[in-house]
Amino acid sequence: MAKIVLITGASSGIGEETVKRLMTAGYTVYAGARRLDRMKSLADAGARLLALDVTDDGSMTAAVKTVVQEAGRIDVLINNAGYGSYGALEDVPPEEARRQFDVNIFGLARLTQLVLPAMRAQRSGRIVNISSIGGKFGEAFGCWYHATKFAVEGLSDSLRMELYPFGIDVVVIQPGATHSEWSQIAHDSLIRYSGEGPYREAASAHAKMMEAGHKGSIPAPPSVVARTIVQAVQSRNPKTRYTTGGLAKTMLFIRRILSDRAFDAMFRVIERQMSKS
Ligand SMILES: NC(=O)c1ccc[n+]([C@@H]2O[C@H](COP(=O)([O-])OP(=O)(O)OC[C@H]3O[C@@H](n4cnc5c(N)ncnc54)[C@H](OP(=O)(O)O)[C@@H]3O)[C@@H](O)[C@H]2O)c1
């Protein structure tokens, strides 16, 4: 019998590619996002579409109910929906900071809460949380985004221990730079909130670095991250963390060996160099 997967953020980028690969591997995939029109080709290929907004409790409850009623079980939840809210802490309105947390962490946690009764009843299940290499280090203008991804890391470690007795595993994916809609959304928010005012110059340099970092050969195609996610889903003994995609392993290695201040200085040098290119 085909295993049942529920994945969020399936209308674009990493999520869309993951749906395709999971279907090819024989899974029954419930693909959720707000933009149903963007998932038509996935539906044509056999995915079951769910209108899903991870900031809306009713929408999440209805989505999980549909999967359980139709399929009778949920084997894998992939919490992938997320976006990058950038801008100086001083400039970002509190309501935007809350929205960032609502999408990237509270949505992930609530959806997990909703699938757990089915997984506990089965005494099996796997929760795959899409974090980022930015869950292990910070960067100027990324206070809120990185705070959410650090939260995904901490939540996932705690949850893994909590769910061990029920046979449910929790796996974290840490992508590096990846081609998707993510970088434009992050870039636009940085300019919207800090493009004027005291942070103007530094924000403009950072925006240029973000643009350069998501161009050319640095970012991985989303299929690279999707392949890693499918590996994490299929493995009999998954690792607790998978680092994947553009410069991901290199960045986390550098973060591990440098002191906090040396890492800050390295980031400033990268920003200076890349904002000129
Ligand atoms: N791209 C990178 O460089 C990179 C690096 C590290 C980590 N990541 C992480 O990877 C994940 C996927 O991002 P991506 O790169 O594939 O970006 P993307 O192309 O922008 O895709 C983001 C997905 O999240 C969905 N989403 C956003 N807000 C939502 C909401 N309120 N409710 C439900 N779905 C929502 C979007 O669908 P709708 O708008 O249709 O709802 C879209 O399908 C994110 O968690 C991101 O933080 C990305």
mmCIF file of all heavy atoms in Angstrom, residues 64-111:
data_model
loop_
_atom_site.group_PDB
_atom_site.id
_atom_site.type_symbol
_atom_site.label_atom_id
_atom_site.label_comp_id
_atom_site.label_asym_id
_atom_site.label_seq_id
_atom_site.Cartn_x
_atom_site.Cartn_y
_atom_site.Cartn_z
ATOM 1 N N VAL A 64 -6.112 18.385 7.326
ATOM 2 C CA VAL A 64 -5.749 17.120 7.995
ATOM 3 C C VAL A 64 -6.952 16.177 8.025
ATOM 4 O O VAL A 64 -6.827 14.972 7.784
ATOM 5 C CB VAL A 64 -5.198 17.389 9.414
ATOM 6 C CG1 VAL A 64 -4.991 16.089 10.183
ATOM 7 C CG2 VAL A 64 -3.881 18.162 9.323
ATOM 8 N N LYS A 65 -8.142 16.755 8.264
ATOM 9 C CA LYS A 65 -9.375 15.937 8.286
ATOM 10 C C LYS A 65 -9.579 15.254 6.924
ATOM 11 O O LYS A 65 -9.892 14.066 6.864
ATOM 12 C CB LYS A 65 -10.562 16.848 8.605
ATOM 13 C CG LYS A 65 -11.776 16.135 9.121
ATOM 14 C CD LYS A 65 -12.792 17.127 9.650
ATOM 15 C CE LYS A 65 -14.158 16.458 9.644
ATOM 16 N NZ LYS A 65 -15.249 17.413 9.676
ATOM 17 N N THR A 66 -9.360 16.013 5.851
ATOM 18 C CA THR A 66 -9.521 15.443 4.501
ATOM 19 C C THR A 66 -8.580 14.255 4.300
ATOM 20 O O THR A 66 -8.989 13.190 3.826
ATOM 21 C CB THR A 66 -9.220 16.530 3.427
ATOM 22 O OG1 THR A 66 -10.137 17.591 3.596
ATOM 23 C CG2 THR A 66 -9.322 15.976 2.023
ATOM 24 N N VAL A 67 -7.314 14.431 4.681
ATOM 25 C CA VAL A 67 -6.337 13.344 4.471
ATOM 26 C C VAL A 67 -6.752 12.105 5.276
ATOM 27 O O VAL A 67 -6.781 10.980 4.749
ATOM 28 C CB VAL A 67 -4.906 13.774 4.863
ATOM 29 C CG1 VAL A 67 -3.916 12.646 4.591
ATOM 30 C CG2 VAL A 67 -4.480 15.044 4.133
ATOM 31 N N VAL A 68 -7.101 12.317 6.549
ATOM 32 C CA VAL A 68 -7.434 11.167 7.404
ATOM 33 C C VAL A 68 -8.704 10.481 6.901
ATOM 34 O O VAL A 68 -8.774 9.249 6.846
ATOM 35 C CB VAL A 68 -7.556 11.610 8.884
ATOM 36 C CG1 VAL A 68 -8.076 10.478 9.754
ATOM 37 C CG2 VAL A 68 -6.202 12.099 9.406
ATOM 38 N N GLN A 69 -9.697 11.296 6.480
ATOM 39 C CA GLN A 69 -10.949 10.683 5.994
ATOM 40 C C GLN A 69 -10.732 9.909 4.698
ATOM 41 O O GLN A 69 -11.224 8.793 4.541
ATOM 42 C CB GLN A 69 -12.005 11.763 5.756
ATOM 43 C CG GLN A 69 -12.809 12.049 7.014
ATOM 44 C CD GLN A 69 -13.794 13.196 6.842
ATOM 45 O OE1 GLN A 69 -13.852 13.838 5.798
ATOM 46 N NE2 GLN A 69 -14.552 13.463 7.889
ATOM 47 N N GLU A 70 -9.947 10.491 3.786
ATOM 48 C CA GLU A 70 -9.759 9.840 2.478
ATOM 49 C C GLU A 70 -8.776 8.680 2.540
ATOM 50 O O GLU A 70 -9.002 7.630 1.958
ATOM 51 C CB GLU A 70 -9.234 10.860 1.453
ATOM 52 C CG GLU A 70 -10.305 11.811 0.971
ATOM 53 C CD GLU A 70 -9.785 12.761 -0.111
ATOM 54 O OE1 GLU A 70 -8.695 12.523 -0.683
ATOM 55 O OE2 GLU A 70 -10.472 13.746 -0.360
ATOM 56 N N ALA A 71 -7.647 8.901 3.222
ATOM 57 C CA ALA A 71 -6.571 7.903 3.172
ATOM 58 C C ALA A 71 -6.550 6.994 4.403
ATOM 59 O O ALA A 71 -5.928 5.938 4.380
ATOM 60 C CB ALA A 71 -5.224 8.610 3.028
ATOM 61 N N GLY A 72 -7.166 7.452 5.491
ATOM 62 C CA GLY A 72 -7.213 6.639 6.706
ATOM 63 C C GLY A 72 -5.951 6.697 7.541
ATOM 64 O O GLY A 72 -5.881 6.116 8.619
ATOM 65 N N ARG A 73 -4.912 7.396 7.063
ATOM 66 C CA ARG A 73 -3.661 7.481 7.809
ATOM 67 C C ARG A 73 -2.798 8.622 7.264
ATOM 68 O O ARG A 73 -3.063 9.147 6.173
ATOM 69 C CB ARG A 73 -2.872 6.181 7.746
ATOM 70 C CG ARG A 73 -2.582 5.708 6.330
ATOM 71 C CD ARG A 73 -1.974 4.326 6.305
ATOM 72 N NE ARG A 73 -0.659 4.286 6.914
ATOM 73 C CZ ARG A 73 -0.333 3.526 7.957
ATOM 74 N NH1 ARG A 73 -1.229 2.748 8.506
ATOM 75 N NH2 ARG A 73 0.885 3.535 8.448
ATOM 76 N N ILE A 74 -1.792 9.002 8.016
ATOM 77 C CA ILE A 74 -0.778 9.951 7.504
ATOM 78 C C ILE A 74 0.578 9.394 7.908
ATOM 79 O O ILE A 74 0.877 9.272 9.098
ATOM 80 C CB ILE A 74 -0.947 11.369 8.101
ATOM 81 C CG1 ILE A 74 -2.343 11.941 7.784
ATOM 82 C CG2 ILE A 74 0.136 12.316 7.564
ATOM 83 C CD1 ILE A 74 -2.586 13.339 8.320
ATOM 84 N N ASP A 75 1.387 9.016 6.934
ATOM 85 C CA ASP A 75 2.695 8.438 7.252
ATOM 86 C C ASP A 75 3.774 9.495 7.411
ATOM 87 O O ASP A 75 4.687 9.335 8.218
ATOM 88 C CB ASP A 75 3.097 7.438 6.156
ATOM 89 C CG ASP A 75 2.119 6.271 6.109
ATOM 90 O OD1 ASP A 75 2.068 5.536 7.105
ATOM 91 O OD2 ASP A 75 1.395 6.137 5.111
ATOM 92 N N VAL A 76 3.676 10.548 6.601
ATOM 93 C CA VAL A 76 4.743 11.563 6.609
ATOM 94 C C VAL A 76 4.124 12.954 6.524
ATOM 95 O O VAL A 76 3.248 13.199 5.688
ATOM 96 C CB VAL A 76 5.690 11.376 5.388
ATOM 97 C CG1 VAL A 76 6.819 12.399 5.427
ATOM 98 C CG2 VAL A 76 6.248 9.962 5.322
ATOM 99 N N LEU A 77 4.590 13.850 7.385
ATOM 100 C CA LEU A 77 4.239 15.278 7.264
ATOM 101 C C LEU A 77 5.512 16.026 6.909
ATOM 102 O O LEU A 77 6.526 15.906 7.614
ATOM 103 C CB LEU A 77 3.683 15.817 8.587
ATOM 104 C CG LEU A 77 3.558 17.349 8.669
ATOM 105 C CD1 LEU A 77 2.528 17.883 7.672
ATOM 106 C CD2 LEU A 77 3.193 17.788 10.093
ATOM 107 N N ILE A 78 5.470 16.782 5.816
ATOM 108 C CA ILE A 78 6.625 17.616 5.455
ATOM 109 C C ILE A 78 6.229 19.079 5.627
ATOM 110 O O ILE A 78 5.414 19.616 4.874
ATOM 111 C CB ILE A 78 7.096 17.344 4.001
ATOM 112 C CG1 ILE A 78 7.405 15.855 3.822
ATOM 113 C CG2 ILE A 78 8.333 18.198 3.681
ATOM 114 C CD1 ILE A 78 7.780 15.456 2.396
ATOM 115 N N ASN A 79 6.765 19.700 6.670
ATOM 116 C CA ASN A 79 6.488 21.117 6.953
ATOM 117 C C ASN A 79 7.491 21.961 6.175
ATOM 118 O O ASN A 79 8.612 22.192 6.629
ATOM 119 C CB ASN A 79 6.640 21.384 8.461
ATOM 120 C CG ASN A 79 5.462 20.905 9.262
ATOM 121 O OD1 ASN A 79 4.321 21.253 8.969
ATOM 122 N ND2 ASN A 79 5.728 20.104 10.298
ATOM 123 N N ASN A 80 7.051 22.405 4.990
ATOM 124 C CA ASN A 80 7.967 23.114 4.084
ATOM 125 C C ASN A 80 7.597 24.577 3.889
ATOM 126 O O ASN A 80 8.462 25.408 3.600
ATOM 127 C CB ASN A 80 7.965 22.363 2.733
ATOM 128 C CG ASN A 80 8.606 23.154 1.627
ATOM 129 O OD1 ASN A 80 9.824 23.357 1.616
ATOM 130 N ND2 ASN A 80 7.799 23.651 0.696
ATOM 131 N N ALA A 81 6.317 24.930 4.052
ATOM 132 C CA ALA A 81 5.876 26.318 3.788
ATOM 133 C C ALA A 81 6.711 27.292 4.610
ATOM 134 O O ALA A 81 6.973 27.062 5.788
ATOM 135 C CB ALA A 81 4.397 26.476 4.136
ATOM 136 N N GLY A 82 7.131 28.360 3.964
ATOM 137 C CA GLY A 82 7.912 29.358 4.693
ATOM 138 C C GLY A 82 8.345 30.464 3.763
ATOM 139 O O GLY A 82 8.319 30.311 2.537
ATOM 140 N N TYR A 83 8.720 31.583 4.345
ATOM 141 C CA TYR A 83 9.250 32.686 3.537
ATOM 142 C C TYR A 83 10.247 33.464 4.389
ATOM 143 O O TYR A 83 10.312 33.302 5.609
ATOM 144 C CB TYR A 83 8.131 33.596 3.010
ATOM 145 C CG TYR A 83 7.515 34.515 4.044
ATOM 146 C CD1 TYR A 83 7.869 35.862 4.118
ATOM 147 C CD2 TYR A 83 6.588 34.035 4.972
ATOM 148 C CE1 TYR A 83 7.305 36.703 5.069
ATOM 149 C CE2 TYR A 83 6.026 34.873 5.922
ATOM 150 C CZ TYR A 83 6.384 36.207 5.966
ATOM 151 O OH TYR A 83 5.837 37.028 6.914
ATOM 152 N N GLY A 84 11.034 34.291 3.700
ATOM 153 C CA GLY A 84 12.047 35.083 4.399
ATOM 154 C C GLY A 84 11.592 36.521 4.550
ATOM 155 O O GLY A 84 11.428 37.233 3.570
ATOM 156 N N SER A 85 11.383 36.939 5.789
ATOM 157 C CA SER A 85 11.046 38.340 6.067
ATOM 158 C C SER A 85 12.329 39.043 6.488
ATOM 159 O O SER A 85 12.900 38.721 7.534
ATOM 160 C CB SER A 85 10.012 38.410 7.180
ATOM 161 O OG SER A 85 9.707 39.753 7.452
ATOM 162 N N TYR A 86 12.781 39.963 5.660
ATOM 163 C CA TYR A 86 14.043 40.659 5.933
ATOM 164 C C TYR A 86 13.805 42.144 6.187
ATOM 165 O O TYR A 86 12.788 42.705 5.782
ATOM 166 C CB TYR A 86 15.025 40.453 4.763
ATOM 167 C CG TYR A 86 15.768 39.130 4.884
ATOM 168 C CD1 TYR A 86 15.091 37.918 4.747
ATOM 169 C CD2 TYR A 86 17.132 39.097 5.184
ATOM 170 C CE1 TYR A 86 15.749 36.714 4.891
ATOM 171 C CE2 TYR A 86 17.809 37.887 5.322
ATOM 172 C CZ TYR A 86 17.108 36.698 5.178
ATOM 173 O OH TYR A 86 17.757 35.499 5.327
ATOM 174 N N GLY A 87 14.768 42.768 6.841
ATOM 175 C CA GLY A 87 14.665 44.176 7.210
ATOM 176 C C GLY A 87 15.283 44.353 8.583
ATOM 177 O O GLY A 87 15.330 43.393 9.368
ATOM 178 N N ALA A 88 15.793 45.561 8.870
ATOM 179 C CA ALA A 88 16.395 45.800 10.188
ATOM 180 C C ALA A 88 15.348 45.612 11.282
ATOM 181 O O ALA A 88 14.190 45.994 11.097
ATOM 182 C CB ALA A 88 16.954 47.218 10.241
ATOM 183 N N LEU A 89 15.750 45.042 12.391
ATOM 184 C CA LEU A 89 14.823 44.816 13.500
ATOM 185 C C LEU A 89 14.079 46.099 13.857
ATOM 186 O O LEU A 89 12.875 46.093 14.132
ATOM 187 C CB LEU A 89 15.581 44.299 14.725
ATOM 188 C CG LEU A 89 14.641 43.942 15.869
ATOM 189 C CD1 LEU A 89 14.507 42.444 16.022
ATOM 190 C CD2 LEU A 89 15.080 44.561 17.180
ATOM 191 N N GLU A 90 14.812 47.217 13.804
ATOM 192 C CA GLU A 90 14.217 48.506 14.171
ATOM 193 C C GLU A 90 13.114 48.920 13.189
ATOM 194 O O GLU A 90 12.210 49.674 13.544
ATOM 195 C CB GLU A 90 15.343 49.569 14.169
ATOM 196 C CG GLU A 90 15.027 50.797 14.962
ATOM 197 C CD GLU A 90 16.180 51.808 14.932
ATOM 198 O OE1 GLU A 90 17.352 51.418 14.736
ATOM 199 O OE2 GLU A 90 15.882 52.999 15.098
ATOM 200 N N ASP A 91 13.207 48.452 11.956
ATOM 201 C CA ASP A 91 12.281 48.893 10.898
ATOM 202 C C ASP A 91 11.078 47.977 10.687
ATOM 203 O O ASP A 91 10.066 48.407 10.127
ATOM 204 C CB ASP A 91 13.017 48.955 9.546
ATOM 205 C CG ASP A 91 14.065 50.054 9.495
ATOM 206 O OD1 ASP A 91 13.920 51.046 10.250
ATOM 207 O OD2 ASP A 91 15.020 49.916 8.702
ATOM 208 N N VAL A 92 11.222 46.701 11.021
ATOM 209 C CA VAL A 92 10.157 45.743 10.680
ATOM 210 C C VAL A 92 8.996 45.903 11.665
ATOM 211 O O VAL A 92 9.188 45.798 12.876
ATOM 212 C CB VAL A 92 10.685 44.278 10.711
ATOM 213 C CG1 VAL A 92 9.553 43.288 10.463
ATOM 214 C CG2 VAL A 92 11.793 44.092 9.682
ATOM 215 N N PRO A 93 7.779 46.159 11.151
ATOM 216 C CA PRO A 93 6.634 46.339 12.046
ATOM 217 C C PRO A 93 6.349 45.044 12.822
ATOM 218 O O PRO A 93 6.505 43.952 12.273
ATOM 219 C CB PRO A 93 5.464 46.652 11.106
ATOM 220 C CG PRO A 93 6.054 46.902 9.764
ATOM 221 C CD PRO A 93 7.412 46.278 9.729
ATOM 222 N N PRO A 94 5.925 45.177 14.087
ATOM 223 C CA PRO A 94 5.665 43.977 14.900
ATOM 224 C C PRO A 94 4.691 43.010 14.242
ATOM 225 O O PRO A 94 4.840 41.803 14.358
ATOM 226 C CB PRO A 94 5.070 44.534 16.199
ATOM 227 C CG PRO A 94 5.465 45.966 16.241
ATOM 228 C CD PRO A 94 5.698 46.421 14.834
ATOM 229 N N GLU A 95 3.704 43.554 13.501
ATOM 230 C CA GLU A 95 2.729 42.629 12.879
ATOM 231 C C GLU A 95 3.396 41.770 11.807
ATOM 232 O O GLU A 95 3.010 40.610 11.602
ATOM 233 C CB GLU A 95 1.484 43.361 12.338
ATOM 234 C CG GLU A 95 1.695 44.452 11.345
ATOM 235 C CD GLU A 95 1.998 45.829 11.963
ATOM 236 O OE1 GLU A 95 2.424 45.915 13.144
ATOM 237 O OE2 GLU A 95 1.833 46.811 11.240
ATOM 238 N N GLU A 96 4.418 42.308 11.106
ATOM 239 C CA GLU A 96 5.132 41.494 10.113
ATOM 240 C C GLU A 96 5.999 40.448 10.822
ATOM 241 O O GLU A 96 6.103 39.301 10.373
ATOM 242 C CB GLU A 96 5.977 42.381 9.186
ATOM 243 C CG GLU A 96 6.957 41.635 8.275
ATOM 244 C CD GLU A 96 6.328 40.518 7.436
ATOM 245 O OE1 GLU A 96 5.112 40.550 7.153
ATOM 246 O OE2 GLU A 96 7.085 39.579 7.088
ATOM 247 N N ALA A 97 6.612 40.840 11.938
ATOM 248 C CA ALA A 97 7.415 39.867 12.692
ATOM 249 C C ALA A 97 6.525 38.713 13.159
ATOM 250 O O ALA A 97 6.918 37.539 13.077
ATOM 251 C CB ALA A 97 8.058 40.557 13.893
ATOM 252 N N ARG A 98 5.301 39.040 13.592
ATOM 253 C CA ARG A 98 4.388 37.986 14.044
ATOM 254 C C ARG A 98 3.968 37.095 12.877
ATOM 255 O O ARG A 98 3.847 35.883 13.011
ATOM 256 C CB ARG A 98 3.132 38.597 14.697
ATOM 257 C CG ARG A 98 3.429 39.110 16.075
ATOM 258 C CD ARG A 98 2.183 39.367 16.896
ATOM 259 N NE ARG A 98 2.604 40.113 18.078
ATOM 260 C CZ ARG A 98 2.594 41.431 18.167
ATOM 261 N NH1 ARG A 98 2.127 42.165 17.176
ATOM 262 N NH2 ARG A 98 3.036 42.029 19.246
ATOM 263 N N ARG A 99 3.757 37.722 11.707
ATOM 264 C CA ARG A 99 3.369 36.938 10.524
ATOM 265 C C ARG A 99 4.483 35.944 10.164
ATOM 266 O O ARG A 99 4.229 34.793 9.831
ATOM 267 C CB ARG A 99 3.074 37.865 9.334
ATOM 268 C CG ARG A 99 2.222 37.207 8.266
ATOM 269 C CD ARG A 99 1.856 38.198 7.166
ATOM 270 N NE ARG A 99 2.756 38.125 6.047
ATOM 271 C CZ ARG A 99 2.694 37.219 5.068
ATOM 272 N NH1 ARG A 99 1.744 36.312 5.087
ATOM 273 N NH2 ARG A 99 3.552 37.218 4.081
ATOM 274 N N GLN A 100 5.738 36.421 10.261
ATOM 275 C CA GLN A 100 6.872 35.557 9.958
ATOM 276 C C GLN A 100 6.864 34.336 10.896
ATOM 277 O O GLN A 100 7.066 33.201 10.466
ATOM 278 C CB GLN A 100 8.176 36.353 10.084
ATOM 279 C CG GLN A 100 9.419 35.544 9.935
ATOM 280 C CD GLN A 100 9.785 35.153 8.513
ATOM 281 O OE1 GLN A 100 10.916 35.321 8.095
ATOM 282 N NE2 GLN A 100 8.877 34.598 7.765
ATOM 283 N N PHE A 101 6.626 34.586 12.164
ATOM 284 C CA PHE A 101 6.559 33.470 13.116
ATOM 285 C C PHE A 101 5.323 32.593 12.867
ATOM 286 O O PHE A 101 5.379 31.378 13.009
ATOM 287 C CB PHE A 101 6.585 33.980 14.566
ATOM 288 C CG PHE A 101 7.970 33.915 15.144
ATOM 289 C CD1 PHE A 101 8.874 34.939 14.930
ATOM 290 C CD2 PHE A 101 8.392 32.808 15.869
ATOM 291 C CE1 PHE A 101 10.171 34.856 15.427
ATOM 292 C CE2 PHE A 101 9.685 32.719 16.368
ATOM 293 C CZ PHE A 101 10.573 33.742 16.152
ATOM 294 N N ASP A 102 4.205 33.239 12.500
ATOM 295 C CA ASP A 102 2.974 32.465 12.238
ATOM 296 C C ASP A 102 3.201 31.460 11.121
ATOM 297 O O ASP A 102 2.818 30.303 11.223
ATOM 298 C CB ASP A 102 1.823 33.401 11.828
ATOM 299 C CG ASP A 102 1.128 33.994 13.039
ATOM 300 O OD1 ASP A 102 1.307 33.461 14.159
ATOM 301 O OD2 ASP A 102 0.425 35.006 12.874
ATOM 302 N N VAL A 103 3.828 31.909 10.020
ATOM 303 C CA VAL A 103 4.026 31.013 8.868
ATOM 304 C C VAL A 103 5.122 29.997 9.168
ATOM 305 O O VAL A 103 4.928 28.788 9.001
ATOM 306 C CB VAL A 103 4.382 31.822 7.595
ATOM 307 C CG1 VAL A 103 4.719 30.877 6.439
ATOM 308 C CG2 VAL A 103 3.238 32.755 7.207
ATOM 309 N N ASN A 104 6.288 30.477 9.609
ATOM 310 C CA ASN A 104 7.467 29.595 9.665
ATOM 311 C C ASN A 104 7.522 28.681 10.883
ATOM 312 O O ASN A 104 8.172 27.636 10.827
ATOM 313 C CB ASN A 104 8.749 30.428 9.638
ATOM 314 C CG ASN A 104 9.008 31.058 8.282
ATOM 315 O OD1 ASN A 104 8.138 31.056 7.415
ATOM 316 N ND2 ASN A 104 10.197 31.617 8.087
ATOM 317 N N ILE A 105 6.853 29.064 11.987
ATOM 318 C CA ILE A 105 6.963 28.197 13.168
ATOM 319 C C ILE A 105 5.604 27.809 13.761
ATOM 320 O O ILE A 105 5.352 26.631 14.001
ATOM 321 C CB ILE A 105 7.922 28.796 14.236
ATOM 322 C CG1 ILE A 105 8.197 27.791 15.350
ATOM 323 C CG2 ILE A 105 7.452 30.104 14.821
ATOM 324 C CD1 ILE A 105 9.146 26.722 15.034
ATOM 325 N N PHE A 106 4.686 28.772 13.944
ATOM 326 C CA PHE A 106 3.413 28.369 14.571
ATOM 327 C C PHE A 106 2.590 27.500 13.632
ATOM 328 O O PHE A 106 1.902 26.578 14.083
ATOM 329 C CB PHE A 106 2.616 29.593 15.045
ATOM 330 C CG PHE A 106 3.234 30.223 16.265
ATOM 331 C CD1 PHE A 106 3.812 31.476 16.199
ATOM 332 C CD2 PHE A 106 3.276 29.528 17.461
ATOM 333 C CE1 PHE A 106 4.424 32.041 17.313
ATOM 334 C CE2 PHE A 106 3.887 30.085 18.584
ATOM 335 C CZ PHE A 106 4.455 31.340 18.510
ATOM 336 N N GLY A 107 2.658 27.771 12.313
ATOM 337 C CA GLY A 107 1.949 26.932 11.349
ATOM 338 C C GLY A 107 2.499 25.516 11.374
ATOM 339 O O GLY A 107 1.745 24.536 11.400
ATOM 340 N N LEU A 108 3.820 25.423 11.367
ATOM 341 C CA LEU A 108 4.510 24.117 11.409
ATOM 342 C C LEU A 108 4.107 23.351 12.671
ATOM 343 O O LEU A 108 3.789 22.154 12.630
ATOM 344 C CB LEU A 108 6.014 24.383 11.349
ATOM 345 C CG LEU A 108 7.055 23.310 11.586
ATOM 346 C CD1 LEU A 108 8.349 23.663 10.845
ATOM 347 C CD2 LEU A 108 7.362 23.113 13.063
ATOM 348 N N ALA A 109 4.094 24.054 13.805
ATOM 349 C CA ALA A 109 3.795 23.390 15.079
ATOM 350 C C ALA A 109 2.327 22.964 15.141
ATOM 351 O O ALA A 109 2.003 21.862 15.593
ATOM 352 C CB ALA A 109 4.119 24.333 16.233
ATOM 353 N N ARG A 110 1.426 23.828 14.667
ATOM 354 C CA ARG A 110 -0.010 23.505 14.735
ATOM 355 C C ARG A 110 -0.345 22.318 13.821
ATOM 356 O O ARG A 110 -1.093 21.427 14.207
ATOM 357 C CB ARG A 110 -0.834 24.747 14.354
ATOM 358 C CG ARG A 110 -2.326 24.527 14.292
ATOM 359 C CD ARG A 110 -2.924 24.127 15.651
ATOM 360 N NE ARG A 110 -4.362 23.980 15.576
ATOM 361 C CZ ARG A 110 -5.047 23.053 16.247
ATOM 362 N NH1 ARG A 110 -4.429 22.207 17.051
ATOM 363 N NH2 ARG A 110 -6.358 22.988 16.136
ATOM 364 N N LEU A 111 0.230 22.323 12.622
ATOM 365 C CA LEU A 111 -0.046 21.219 11.694
ATOM 366 C C LEU A 111 0.482 19.900 12.280
ATOM 367 O O LEU A 111 -0.162 18.854 12.184
ATOM 368 C CB LEU A 111 0.598 21.514 10.334
ATOM 369 C CG LEU A 111 -0.045 20.858 9.121
ATOM 370 C CD1 LEU A 111 -1.535 21.152 9.023
ATOM 371 C CD2 LEU A 111 0.652 21.329 7.850
#
